[in-house]
Amino acid sequence: MEEDKIILKAEDLDGYLTKKDMDDLALLKSMYADTMSHFEAKDEKKIVEGFDKMGKELQRICKENPQIKVFSFETDEGSHAEASRVISKLRDINTGHQEFIYYSQRAYEMLFRLAYTAPHSDKKGHLVVKTPVTFPVQNYAVHKIPDIDAKIENSVMCVMLRGALLPSIIMSKEIEEYSSHDYVTPFALFKINRDDTKKEDDMEYILNLKKSFFNIEELDGKDWVFADPMNATGGSLVTVVKYLESQGVHPKSIKFFNVISALKGSLRVARALPNCTCYTLWLDPVLNEKAYIMPGLGDAGDRLNGCDKKDSPRNIIRLIADYGSSIAALYHNQLTKIEQTVLD
């Protein structure tokens, strides 16, 4: 192991899984294979039946594992259509770049509500807003919001780079909007890759410390928040957290927000990190041999950020610049924090 690189292997992750986990994963793999047999002829009735059966098994497994919170399993039935519509647009091969960003923003707003404002607290805060109406006097409006300062104002956004950058910025903005004190989270930026030349059962996760930017003192005793569009294997999160803990840094809590998570990735995280809660908009049943989520939504990082050229990948500042003026204006405070973290 090089001094500036930390490597975690898939076999290490699987060591956290229980026999029951493995049995549940095998069951879902068998059920998905049966459902997939109807894809080529597109037998919609059989496909729907297959996903309904898998949905019931996933609900059972999540009920047995309270660290895994799935939006449609945790919320009232009236909210389920919203989740289905958002996730279907994100999955759709015809959803373009700007629309993908729009639906990602909606997804993280929903996940924020799931984690921080439900169930509703009796304790309320107030927003007193100065409006543009000045006649006959300056007008103000009062709006009640949940008082969740204690839940959010100890947070640090931990970014596993590239695809996780914009979702992390969105989540930080949600925290700022709900804070009574306009709290803007610090950012910790990690450069971690998995080796896609390997298969799911021998995958490696490589944390590059030279290309990571974080203040270790800002992390100790804090609520660590990770927002990554997809959790396939759980390897990137576990690698970062285990490294930080090996440096004597310990979180008060960990929250992991995903648009889509594979069951295996969620179970690995739950077993490896007992103080972590996984919040996902949608839980998919299986991984293929390349560790891609099925049915999944493709490469979320490329769909959010556009593709890098192989010979000239963008650094973090270039990536932020490429988001453009609309993102820069909307998330100004978050981008300022990130620039300070990288440049200072």
Side-chain angles (χ1 to χ4, degrees), residues 169-181:
I169 291 169
I170 294 167
M171 187 59 70
S172 176
K173 179 72 171 180
E174 287 297 299
I175 289 172
E176 180 186 9
E177 290 298 307
Y178 273 86
S179 166
S180 299
H181 310 102

Side-chain angles (χ1 to χ4, degrees), residues 104-171:
S104 295
Q105 289 170 317
R106 283 187 57 184
Y108 276 97
E109 289 169 3
M110 294 162 67
L111 287 168
F112 181 89
R113 295 201 307 269
L114 173 64
Y116 292 110
T117 67
H120 295 295
S121 170
D122 292 334
K123 193 176 180 183
K124 300 292 181 184
H126 295 88
L127 294 177
V128 180
V129 182
K130 186 178 181 180
T131 81
V133 178
T134 58
F135 183 84
V137 295
Q138 173 64 60
N139 274 236
Y140 293 86
V142 177
H143 298 277
K144 289 183 179 179
I145 60 169
D147 182 354
I148 56 173
D149 288 348
K151 294 181 181 180
I152 61 178
E153 291 187 355
N154 190 51
S155 301
V156 176
M157 288 306 309
C158 300
V159 186
M160 295 176 292
L161 292 182
R162 295 294 172 195
L165 180 60
L166 188 54
S168 300
I169 291 169
I170 294 167
M171 187 59 70

Side-chain angles (χ1 to χ4, degrees), residues 231-250:
N231 173 22
T233 65
S236 296
L237 176 72
V238 175
T239 302
V240 169
V241 173
K242 292 297 184 184
Y243 165 72
L244 291 173
E245 290 181 340
S246 75
Q247 302 304 299
V249 181
H250 298 283

Side-chain angles (χ1 to χ4, degrees), residues 3 9 17 30 50-51 68 93-94 99 110 135 148 155 162 176 202 211 231 236 246 248 268 284 299 303 312 328:
E3 217 172 275
K9 297 178 182 292
L17 296 173
S30 172
F51 274 98
I68 304 172
I93 195 171
N94 296 312
E99 199 175 12
M110 294 162 67
F135 183 84
I148 56 173
S155 301
R162 295 294 172 195
E176 180 186 9
D202 66 351
K211 295 185 178 180
N231 173 22
S236 296
S246 75
R268 279 169 159 175
D284 274 0
D299 191 321
R303 296 182 77 181
S312 57

